[in-house]
Amino acid sequence: MEKVKKYNHELAVKVGQEVSKIWGTEQLVSEESMIGAMVVILLPEQSVEVEKKLGLEFCEKYNTFVKFGKYQGKYYVRFCAQIFNELDDYIYVANAIKETLNN
């Protein structure tokens, strides 16, 4: 169990760093000691269109689901690191979100 927790934590840290770099944004919390297996990252677009663009059509097109929400007036996405995922899985989703929001 400890190896799984360590893997998930290290993956979450990498996801936070890579996705925020791809998007040119920042993490809600970037202090590594405060990250468990989830990271919350500011979306690169901040409009009401976010909710429409990342809805059902996005899920069906990219065969994935993203948990997003608004906190203090800004839209964020929460990524949860899992033992069955790799960094490339999150990069795929980050690029899909970026492409979707730019259209």
Side-chain angles (χ1 to χ4, degrees):
M1 233 17 235
E2 288 306 311
K3 287 182 181 180
V4 171
K5 287 181 186 177
K6 182 178 186 224
Y7 176 83
N8 289 345
H9 168 74
E10 290 173 354
L11 179 58
V13 170
K14 289 176 190 173
V15 168
Q17 293 167 345
E18 291 300 313
V19 173
S20 58
K21 187 179 353 175
I22 289 168
W23 291 349
T25 63
E26 60 189 25
Q27 299 176 69
L28 183 60
V29 174
S30 59
E31 176 58 44
E32 189 173 330
S33 66
M34 295 181 70
I35 297 173
M38 290 187 283
V39 289
V40 180
I41 305 168
L42 183 67
L43 278 168
E45 180 181 314
Q46 296 295 315
S47 74
V48 293
E49 290 294 306
V50 165
E51 294 180 30
K52 180 181 175 189
K53 289 180 177 181
L54 297 181
L56 183 59
E57 286 182 36
F58 174 84
C59 295
E60 290 174 348
K61 180 177 180 179
Y62 293 101
N63 197 30
T64 191
F65 170 80
V66 292
K67 177 63 179 160
F68 66 92
K70 213 169 190 181
Y71 176 70
Q72 294 185 344
K74 295 181 180 179
Y75 286 99
Y76 291 85
V77 168
R78 181 181 72 199
F79 290 97
C80 184
Q82 300 291 329
I83 190 69
F84 48 80
N85 289 123
E86 297 175 353
L87 183 58
D88 286 344
D89 298 320
Y90 300 92
I91 291 172
Y92 167 80
V93 174
N95 286 322
I97 289 171
K98 186 175 181 179
E99 178 183 318
T100 299
L101 295 178
N102 285 335
N103 292 329

